[in-house]
Amino acid sequence: MNQMQTKTPKNFFKNLISLIKGKVFVINVLPVLAGYFLSSHINHLPLAEQLTSFFVTLIGSAFVIAGALMLNNWYEADLDKLMERTKSRPSANGEFSKKFVLTLGITTSILGFLILLFTNAEVFLFSFIGWFFYVVLYTFWSKQKYSWNTIIGAVSGCVTPLIGWSVLSSSFQLIPMMMALIIFIWQMPHTYSIAIRRFDDYKRAGFAMLPVVSGIKKTKIHLLFYLICLIPMPFFMKSLGLFFIGFMTLLNIGWIILSISGFATQNEQHWATRMFRYSVIHMMLFLISIIVMSI
């Protein structure tokens, strides 16, 4: 590890958090928790009786997610150097060597899958689907070639609540699938907002994001389409109550209004930043409300 410039445990830990894209990691682990708590609530299974399986799934899925994010950083290290948003990542600035990042990403992924072997087939299956779509189909194959790479990436994100739910019950039923569908749809406007916000970065690095390939105006139309698709989703989760349906509907309408304002804006960077922040708040409130109602 002679190429590593990190010299103190504090700096090493800081760079490790950056390597797993701290906030991205958290927003992918939270749906696992939400799916688990919701499954416990819907299936009337006491949480206290499932603590072992809960922690095994949480730790295993966290390792798998972290490993996938590390492998993404390893593969895109040279391109990340060209982007303001990512050039300070340890895989791009030389704090961690590419060999170290690759080794750590593979090791962490394998360790996560080994831990998940102690759960059940569905938990392992959804974890593998998420990892495979993000690492192989999104990072290695489509992100630099096709503007619809966002759809592939969204598949990897939407299986996370199914991982948590499957610990206690089969995920092949309406509520967990609707939860996964909401997260799938959410990722589209969320990612498009980032792509518009960082348009110059993605263009410079050569990523085939929709705004770069087809233009910002077309991206805004796609973004609005997906937001409209979110409107009926909470109504399929009526077992969570009228408050949940009303709360999510108001959040969705607010996001649509903000999206429409983008067609008349003169400052697309500012608008895209507001869209991005709203998307993060939207998802956090969605997941937290599920967890709170399930406890």
Side-chain angles (χ1 to χ4, degrees):
M1 215 155 45
N2 56 353
Q3 298 182 44
M4 291 174 56
Q5 301 172 10
T6 305
K7 297 180 180 180
T8 67
K10 181 179 179 180
N11 285 338
F12 179 84
F13 182 74
K14 180 180 178 181
N15 283 324
L16 195 60
I17 294 299
S18 177
L19 189 64
I20 63 172
K21 307 179 183 180
K23 295 178 181 178
V24 178
F25 173 78
V26 170
I27 210 166
N28 276 277
V29 171
L30 269 179
V32 178
L33 291 174
Y36 178 85
F37 282 117
L38 186 57
S39 180
S40 171
H41 174 69
I42 296 297
N43 294 295
H44 306 291
L45 297 171
L47 289 172
E49 297 179 6
Q50 309 293 332
L51 287 180
T52 300
S53 60
F54 166 69
F55 282 112
V56 169
T57 301
L58 180 62
I59 294 170
S61 59
F63 270 83
V64 170
I65 292 168
L69 293 170
M70 291 176 188
L71 291 172
N72 174 268
N73 278 338
W74 163 75
Y75 190 77
E76 297 177 355
D78 293 333
L79 296 177
D80 283 345
K81 296 176 183 178
L82 305 175
M83 301 176 65
E84 289 295 323
R85 183 172 69 95
T86 57
K87 68 180 184 181
S88 61
R89 287 176 181 169
S91 51
N93 65 14
E95 289 285 335
F96 289 164
S97 70
K98 290 186 68 174
K99 181 179 180 180
F100 173 76
V101 175
L102 174 61
T103 302
L104 190 60
I106 292 175
T107 303
T108 304
S109 297
I110 292 174
L111 182 58
F113 285 126
L114 289 176
I115 293 172
L116 291 174
L117 285 175
F118 292 93
T119 56
N120 62 56
E122 270 193 41
V123 171
F124 188 90
L125 173 65
F126 289 124
S127 298
F128 179 77
I129 290 174
W131 184 93
F132 183 78
F133 267 79
Y134 186 77
V135 175
V136 179
L137 299 184
Y138 177 65
T139 300
F140 294 173
W141 177 54
S142 66
K143 193 173 180 181
Q144 298 175 43
K145 296 179 181 179
Y146 308 108
S147 61
W148 38 268
N149 62 66
T150 306
I151 297 175
I152 294 177
V155 173
S156 67
C158 79
V159 298
T160 49
L162 302 182
I163 296 171
W165 182 287
S166 295
V167 177
L168 304 175
S169 178
S170 174
S171 288
F172 295 100
Q173 46 188 303
L174 180 63
I175 292 181
M177 286 300 171
M178 292 309 303
M179 189 177 177
L181 184 57
I182 288 173
I183 294 178
F184 173 84
I185 296 173
W186 171 88
Q187 287 178 94
M188 305 304 290
H190 170 75
T191 306
Y192 289 153
S193 298
I194 297 174
I196 294 174
R197 184 186 181 200
R198 300 293 185 178
F199 177 87
D200 293 336
D201 265 359
Y202 283 115
K203 185 176 182 180
R204 188 184 309 114
F207 288 114
M209 306 305 289
L210 186 61
V212 175
V213 175
S214 301
I216 292 177
K217 183 177 180 180
K218 185 174 181 179
T219 303
K220 289 179 180 178
I221 295 173
H222 281 241
L223 193 155
L224 179 59
F225 167 77
Y226 284 107
L227 289 179
I228 293 173
C229 289
L230 274 179
I231 289 292
M233 295 297 107
F235 293 90
F236 289 95
M237 303 177 72
K238 58 184 180 180
S239 59
L240 293 182
L242 291 177
F243 176 81
F244 174 81
I245 294 174
F247 178 64
M248 291 308 304
T249 299
L250 288 176
L251 280 179
N252 293 336
I253 291 173
W255 203 358
I256 288 174
I257 292 172
L258 181 57
S259 172
I260 293 173
S261 71
F263 289 95
T265 185
Q266 299 297 316
N267 190 338
E268 289 173 335
Q269 297 294 317
H270 177 67
W271 169 79
T273 298
R274 291 175 64 199
M275 286 289 291
F276 165 73
R277 290 173 179 170
Y278 194 103
S279 70
V280 174
I281 293 172
H282 182 284
M283 180 52 60
M284 294 300 290
L285 290 175
F286 169 63
L287 296 174
I288 291 173
S289 65
I290 286 178
I291 293 173
V292 170
M293 286 186 294
S294 301
I295 296 178

